[in-house]
Amino acid sequence: MNILLQWMDKHLPEVGSFCLKVVLTIVVYLIASKIIKWICKIFRKSMNKAGLAPEAISFLNSAIKAGLYAVLIFQLATQFGVKESSVAALLASAGVGIGLAMQGGLSNLAGGVILLLLKPFGVGDYIIESSANNEGTVQKIELFYTTLMTVDNRRIVIPNATLTNNIITNVTAMDERKLDLRVDISYDSDMKKAKEIISSLLQEDADIMKDREIQVFVDALCDSSVRIGCRSWVKTESYWPTRWRLNEEIKLAFDEAGIVIPYPQMDVHIQTHSQDTERKQKK
């Protein structure tokens, strides 16, 4: 019992001092975190006023946030008696191991820099990534990952290295898109009338750009149908609504005009054994 009391008399102040440091460190960390968020918020506002691209703002904001937290942790470590030189040596020695362990992360970081500099797409663009056919609207581009939102409101997070190492289709890069439709009609249907109907629907549609070329043509003579094609131009944001609407209008107009859209069909001729024998005897 006396030994315990002696130990408490000797070490209790040190334990109390250490606990106080821990509490103060937690308080400082919480306050500093609020300040970092405030700094990042001001940074975003200033960059928006400067007219910087949204993807550049998102990327730089992530970098500044990571840097500020690194400085904060470094400063808190020194408050516990850890020397700056020791922290630097520890970081240097750990850097190699971390670098080897985070090769994928570093390639994602390099990919983020490439995306920021070359700008193959930006926030708000609709893209299709070739390796896994991921597609959606770009929500944000950060240090290591790019976030997409799909049309059915799913969030897809893609490593930046994947985007820089694969083919990316930027659907909304241009303000206008060519609308290319194909429809098959039977050989017995009036081909010229079908072309006139499609041409009329294109001319009457409000979203079809009348100052651009509109084409209606025979695309192919297939095994069981004549394939009619048409090409026109629309605003990018109107592409899918116009495509869906025209497909429906063409079908209804063809039904009204008696133009048949055929099922795939094949003529099969069956020759019996007796017919084959009779043909040979005639020869």
Side-chain angles (χ1 to χ4, degrees):
M1 187 67 179
N2 292 331
I3 297 174
L4 178 61
L5 291 174
Q6 290 176 2
W7 185 90
M8 291 180 61
D9 290 339
K10 183 177 181 180
H11 296 285
L12 191 59
E14 297 177 1
V15 174
S17 177
F18 179 78
C19 292
L20 181 61
K21 280 186 177 181
V22 171
V23 173
L24 289 176
T25 299
I26 294 173
V27 172
V28 169
Y29 178 83
L30 294 175
I31 295 174
S33 297
K34 297 290 185 181
I35 294 174
I36 289 174
K37 291 180 180 179
W38 177 71
I39 291 173
C40 291
K41 186 176 181 181
I42 293 177
F43 172 78
R44 294 184 72 92
K45 287 183 178 180
S46 61
M47 291 299 100
N48 280 321
K49 289 181 180 179
L52 207 62
E55 56 272 15
I57 295 174
S58 178
F59 185 88
L60 293 175
N61 184 70
S62 298
I64 290 174
K65 186 176 181 180
L68 290 174
Y69 271 106
V71 172
L72 172 62
I73 293 173
F74 181 83
Q75 292 296 326
L76 292 177
T78 58
Q79 296 303 314
F80 283 91
V82 180
K83 295 181 180 180
E84 290 87 346
S85 57
S86 300
V87 176
L90 178 63
L91 292 177
S93 60
V96 177
I98 293 173
L100 292 174
M102 294 184 61
Q103 288 183 7
L106 294 176
S107 63
N108 290 335
L109 176 61
V113 174
I114 292 173
L115 295 177
L116 180 64
L117 294 177
L118 300 183
K119 296 182 179 179
F121 56 83
V123 173
D125 283 338
Y126 191 95
I127 65 171
I128 303 173
E129 180 266 318
S130 62
S131 66
N133 289 324
N134 291 311
E135 60 180 280
T137 302
V138 179
Q139 188 180 42
K140 55 184 177 180
I141 303 172
E142 296 183 307
L143 280 177
F144 300 100
Y145 298 97
T146 293
T147 302
L148 308 182
M149 292 299 294
T150 65
V151 293
D152 56 349
N153 209 34
R154 290 179 293 121
R155 179 178 294 175
I156 302 177
V157 180
I158 304 177
N160 288 334
T162 300
L163 296 175
T164 54
N165 293 327
N166 290 286
I167 298 173
I168 301 297
T169 302
N170 190 340
V171 178
T172 55
M174 308 301 291
D175 294 332
E176 302 169 359
R177 285 187 67 182
K178 180 179 284 188
L179 180 62
D180 201 341
L181 297 177
R182 299 288 187 275
V183 60
D184 291 353
I185 65 172
S186 70
Y187 276 97
D188 295 331
S189 297
D190 190 334
M191 182 179 65
K192 291 184 178 180
K193 188 174 183 181
K195 290 175 63 178
E196 290 174 358
I197 290 173
I198 295 175
S199 179
S200 177
L201 290 174
L202 293 174
Q203 292 291 343
E204 293 172 0
D205 195 284
D207 287 324
I208 299 296
M209 302 176 68
K210 307 305 186 296
D211 57 337
R212 302 293 295 270
E213 183 180 18
I214 297 176
Q215 296 176 313
V216 181
F217 50 89
V218 177
D219 183 62
L221 300 177
C222 304
D223 293 337
S224 57
S225 64
V226 178
R227 180 162 297 161
I228 307 296
C230 63
R231 290 174 178 167
S232 55
W233 290 85
V234 296
K235 293 292 184 182
T236 300
E237 62 270 16
S238 304
Y239 178 85
W240 286 109
T242 305
R243 186 182 186 90
W244 297 330
R245 182 173 61 252
L246 282 173
N247 279 332
E248 180 178 353
E249 291 177 351
I250 289 172
K251 174 64 169 65
L252 294 175
F254 278 9
D255 289 346
E256 187 175 345
I259 296 174
V260 178
I261 299 177
Y263 296 102
Q265 54 186 313
M266 180 183 296
D267 292 333
V268 179
H269 300 275
I270 301 175
Q271 182 174 303
T272 64
H273 178 71
S274 60
Q275 289 174 331
D276 186 46
T277 304
E278 184 179 348
R279 182 177 292 120
K280 288 181 179 179
Q281 289 176 349
K282 289 181 179 179
K283 290 182 179 179

